[in-house]
Amino acid sequence: MNAIEKQLINEPKYTTKSIISIMILAAFLLWSLSAINLSNMTENGFMIAKNIMLGILSPNTELLFTWSTNGVPYLLLETMAIAFLGTIVGAILAVPLAFLSASNIVAKPIAFLVRLILIFIRTVPAIVYGLMFIRVTGPGPFAGVLTMALVSVGMLSKLYVDVIENLETSILESLESMGCTTYEKIRYGIIPQLSAMFISIVIYRFDMNLRDAAVLGLVGAGGIGAPLIFAMNGYKWAEVGSILIGLMILILFIEFLSNKIRNKLVKG
């Protein structure tokens, strides 16, 4: 008997655990399928589904190419501006919070407390923050910017911390041995290590915020979401089609551009 056969024989057997795990997953799957209710699907429902598809395939070109405040280009620009400004504000606010929650920078009790606050921020969905800010500032793009900023702080701080805790400390030790000041250590030892990854993370978050900003419009926080829900409620499927096409083109373009920039930053 060779070494490989001995290793296979001595391998722990997971048959019972595997069977139990599969049974549990199957039970959850069957329970989830019980939520499907096809009895409510009527001929009228199928007709609406057909009209939606026809609207997407034959959009309102006048709405798609007009540059007025009610046109798709202007609404997309407003949505992108909300996502961009919210991301920038969130990225700036996240930097001090990230350093305060990094256990290799501050004392562990302080890091734990700040991380707890950030976890609480991340647990609340963006649409809930949107509804809260609308009550404070009124409906409009400003509520959307505040929502994007607060949502971004929670996620960006977490990702920043991962980068900060992986700092190459040997570089700082070398600079200290050379007699460098604290400013010089930050300028030549910390910033070069963090800047590329931080920018990459911010770009990734902007990509996500662009999608969230479109959804926030549904609750009145500015952007293209409000016209979309109004068009759907009014069964104006050609308008819905033009809005969705514009939104898809914008998101695909931003995703392509952000991936190019992020890859260049990470790979150098």
Side-chain angles (χ1 to χ4, degrees), residues 152-261:
S152 298
V153 165
M155 178 186 170
L156 290 175
S157 298
K158 182 179 184 300
L159 296 176
Y160 284 173
V161 170
D162 295 336
V163 178
I164 293 168
E165 290 184 339
N166 290 322
L167 276 173
E168 188 62 49
T169 55
S170 60
I171 297 175
L172 300 178
E173 292 170 0
S174 300
L175 291 171
E176 188 173 359
S177 66
M178 292 168 62
C180 293
T181 63
T182 303
Y183 169 77
E184 289 171 335
K185 285 190 287 186
I186 293 171
R187 171 67 181 83
Y188 299 106
I190 294 178
I191 292 177
Q193 293 188 64
L194 298 182
S195 57
M197 288 302 298
F198 273 21
I199 294 170
S200 175
I201 290 167
V202 170
I203 292 171
Y204 173 67
R205 183 64 222 185
F206 169 67
D207 195 10
M208 295 179 63
N209 280 349
L210 189 60
R211 295 165 172 80
D212 289 342
V215 176
L216 284 175
L218 300 176
V219 296
I224 204 167
L228 177 60
I229 195 66
F230 291 150
M232 292 180 71
N233 288 338
Y235 297 96
K236 299 175 182 178
W237 303 120
E239 292 184 13
V240 172
S242 62
I243 293 171
L244 290 178
I245 288 172
L247 194 57
M248 285 188 289
I249 292 171
L250 177 64
I251 288 174
L252 288 173
F253 173 73
I254 294 296
E255 185 167 353
F256 172 78
L257 191 62
S258 64
N259 286 338
K260 286 283 186 183
I261 297 173

Side-chain angles (χ1 to χ4, degrees), residues 37-114:
N37 184 9
L38 299 177
S39 61
N40 292 330
M41 294 185 66
T42 62
E43 186 177 346
N44 187 42
F46 286 111
M47 184 61 68
I48 291 174
K50 177 184 175 183
N51 291 334
I52 292 172
M53 294 303 300
L54 289 174
I56 294 173
L57 295 173
S58 56
N60 185 339
T61 53
E62 183 181 350
L63 187 66
L64 193 59
F65 294 107
T66 184
W67 289 94
S68 67
T69 54
N70 295 323
V72 171
Y74 177 84
L75 294 170
L76 289 174
L77 186 63
E78 184 179 68
T79 303
M80 189 167 61
I82 291 169
F84 179 78
L85 187 57
T87 304
I88 295 300
V89 173
I92 294 170
L93 294 176
V95 172
L97 291 172
F99 278 98
L100 288 172
S101 58
S103 56
N104 62 334
I105 302 293
V106 299
K108 288 186 177 180
I110 297 174
F112 175 78
L113 180 61
V114 177

Side-chain angles (χ1 to χ4, degrees), residues 121-135 143-144 147-148 150-151 205 211-221 229:
I121 292 173
R122 289 197 301 272
T123 54
V124 181
I127 198 164
V128 175
Y129 282 130
L131 290 168
M132 290 166 58
F133 280 121
I134 284 170
R135 297 295 181 273
T147 303
M148 289 292 95
L150 189 55
V151 172
R205 183 64 222 185
R211 295 165 172 80
D212 289 342
V215 176
L216 284 175
L218 300 176
V219 296
I229 195 66

